[in-house]
Amino acid sequence: MSGSERKHESETGRAPAAIPIPAIAALASTERLEQLKSICRNVVDLSPMDPAQIVETFGGALILLEHGVPGAEQIVLGLAVDKPDSAVLMVSDSLPVHIVRALMKIEASDILPSDAGAGDVLDSIDRIRAAAEAIETKPEEPASAVCWAFRGAVGGAGVSTLAIESAFAICEKVGPGKVCLVDLNVADGMVSSFLEAVPKLDLAALSAAPERLDARLLAAWCWQHEDGVSTISAPRNPDADALATEAAILRLLDVACAEFPFVLVDMPRHMMPWTKPILGAVDEAIIISELTVPSLHAAADMAREVDMLRSPDRKTKLVLNRMFPKKRFRAEFAVDKAEKAIERSIDATITSDWDAARTAVNLGKPIADVKPKSALVADISALVDRLMPDGVLAAHVPQMPARRKAS
């Protein structure tokens, strides 16, 4: 056994593959290049080439980039635009928003921590190969998952409720097994409590080795409701925020989006290391507020902050929750006056149904199961239809439409 084979076996705990990686192009440190030579027959050092030349010559191939090496960011951005069919391994402990967004546009990508060994690189390449093979054998479907993030402008705005109801509304339209709701309130999330779900996410294990997360492990951390929505949540832990590293959370969402066509994220209101990358990368960033003056100003401020992370054609959506039915007389001011006050359009309003919401959480069910004809359920369904890209729901409609239980 050669020295490189012994090194590989000691790092991975398994014998080396009979056929090593035939070739990989890399823009990385000298130490990383030497590491790659232990698992690859032909390692191409990209440092003498400029980014545009690298994109043109090696786009579509397997490329390893070490963040911080001059030219690495330009290569990722170039591949995302001109060669999205590439396979990219990004080595970094912290990536800026625009690079995360670019990686999501590349057909196959993975993020490895800076201390990743040769065995970790090999495992990552194996995952990319397996994902490519799975895509080839699957029936033709939309290329990428639809991912929405819900975040409250103020505390108690009902973010978890709206995220849950939106997930079940999508499931009602596309069938079971296609929607995943991820609760990123890792310290004190309410999704598992509201649905009587089992919080299976092992945050300590994920944070210790995010690169190890694959489809099989994700399935072990998922809990599926009887209506067909899968949830990912962690047991309550006041110290969990410290465990939720950027690499761990981004890896979790990356794998979830690879396994589910629809991924909804319940975000904490307080800022975390991964808040900006997620809000900048998701298809829809949805800010939840209420029709009170302090809440409206907080929502407008938060929406402007999130807009700075997104392109001009991907504006943050502002949703007002707990609106009273129009037939009731309350001391509320009109929505159009609210829009003038904050100088921003309100994208949707959700009617309050406190009795149905209370009954639903006590039974561990979505409101749509407890009171299907609730105005809240209708408003959520309309919101889903409005935000969903054209043709996406139709592409996933089951042969036999799901039927709701009678009220």
Side-chain angles (χ1 to χ4, degrees):
M1 182 181 292
S2 68
S4 63
E5 289 172 330
R6 285 193 297 271
K7 179 181 179 182
H8 171 64
E9 184 174 3
S10 66
E11 289 183 346
T12 64
R14 68 185 188 190
I19 301 176
I21 304 168
I24 186 171
L27 182 65
S29 63
T30 302
E31 294 79 8
R32 183 72 61 185
L33 292 172
E34 290 300 317
Q35 180 192 80
L36 292 175
K37 291 177 183 179
S38 69
I39 56 172
C40 183
R41 292 173 181 168
N42 181 22
V43 178
V44 180
D45 182 4
L46 300 177
S47 59
M49 304 172 64
D50 64 75
Q53 185 181 7
I54 292 171
V55 171
E56 179 64 28
T57 305
F58 293 95
L62 176 62
I63 305 174
L64 183 142
L65 302 172
E66 194 163 359
H67 189 243
V69 175
E73 289 194 4
Q74 294 93 316
I75 294 171
V76 174
L77 297 173
L79 292 172
V81 174
D82 298 325
K83 300 286 185 177
D85 58 340
S86 305
V88 177
L89 301 183
M90 196 77 189
V91 180
S92 175
D93 289 325
S94 179
L95 288 175
V97 172
H98 65 288
I99 296 301
V100 175
R101 190 181 303 159
L103 286 171
M104 293 180 71
K105 296 178 181 178
I106 295 174
E107 187 173 292
S109 65
D110 199 3
I111 301 173
L112 294 171
S114 57
D115 60 353
D120 298 321
V121 175
L122 192 59
D123 288 342
S124 180
I125 294 172
D126 288 342
R127 287 194 295 270
I128 289 177
R129 283 175 173 170
E133 292 172 358
I135 291 173
E136 291 178 358
T137 58
K138 277 185 179 179
E140 188 172 345
E141 294 181 351
S144 60
V146 172
C147 186
W148 298 350
F150 294 77
R151 190 182 184 207
V154 293
V159 178
S160 295
T161 296
L162 296 196
I164 290 171
E165 295 305 317
S166 298
F168 281 86
I170 296 173
C171 182
E172 172 73 10
K173 298 172 187 292
V174 304
K178 298 179 181 180
V179 183
C180 181
L181 175 59
V182 183
D183 190 352
L184 291 186
N185 295 279
V186 292
D188 56 356
M190 293 301 295
V191 167
S192 58
S193 296
F194 283 1
L195 295 175
E196 293 187 353
V198 180
K200 294 184 174 183
L201 176 61
D202 188 339
L203 195 57
L206 174 64
S207 300
E211 72 281 359
R212 299 291 186 185
L213 179 60
D214 56 14
R216 183 177 300 178
L217 184 54
L218 184 79
W221 288 344
C222 282
W223 177 89
Q224 190 175 75
H225 190 273
E226 60 182 6
D227 285 0
V229 172
S230 295
T231 67
I232 299 176
S233 59
R236 290 193 173 195
N237 176 3
D239 300 320
D241 281 352
L243 294 174
T245 63
E246 181 178 357
I249 298 302
L250 294 182
R251 176 66 184 172
L252 176 65
L253 294 184
D254 187 32
V255 177
C257 287
E259 296 303 311
F260 292 91
F262 303 93
V263 177
L264 275 63
V265 185
D266 183 357
M267 301 275 291
R269 185 165 63 94
H270 59 277
M271 189 66 67
M272 294 290 288
W274 34 264
T275 300
K276 289 183 178 180
I278 292 175
L279 292 176
V282 293
D283 297 292
E284 296 289 355
I286 304 167
I287 304 301
I288 310 298
S289 186
E290 297 176 320
L291 192 55
T292 64
V293 173
S295 298
L296 285 171
H297 284 299
D301 290 342
M302 182 178 287
R304 282 189 287 268
E305 292 168 2
V306 177
D307 281 343
M308 295 177 64
L309 307 173
R310 303 172 63 81
S311 57
D313 61 333
R314 298 166 62 246
K315 287 279 189 178
T316 306
K317 301 299 188 295
L318 182 54
V319 175
L320 296 187
N321 191 23
R322 301 197 178 113
M323 300 290 288
F324 289 109
K326 293 181 180 179
K327 64 182 180 180
R328 297 174 64 177
F329 295 96
R330 295 279 182 164
E332 286 187 327
F333 51 93
V335 171
D336 58 344
K337 292 183 179 179
E339 291 178 327
K340 290 179 181 179
I342 63 175
E343 298 181 342
R344 186 183 186 95
S345 63
I346 293 168
D347 297 278
T349 59
I350 308 298
T351 304
S352 176
D353 194 338
W354 172 250
D355 291 338
R358 180 179 56 189
T359 302
V361 298
N362 286 337
L363 296 176
K365 296 178 179 292
I367 297 172
D369 277 2
V370 173
K371 190 178 178 182
K373 295 183 180 180
S374 168
L376 182 151
V377 173
D379 289 345
I380 291 290
S381 181
L383 175 67
V384 166
D385 289 338
R386 179 178 178 180
L387 297 186
M388 196 65 66
D390 293 340
V392 172
L393 289 176
H396 290 277
V397 170
Q399 293 181 351
M400 293 292 292
R403 298 177 61 186
R404 283 285 180 200
K405 303 174 181 66
S407 59

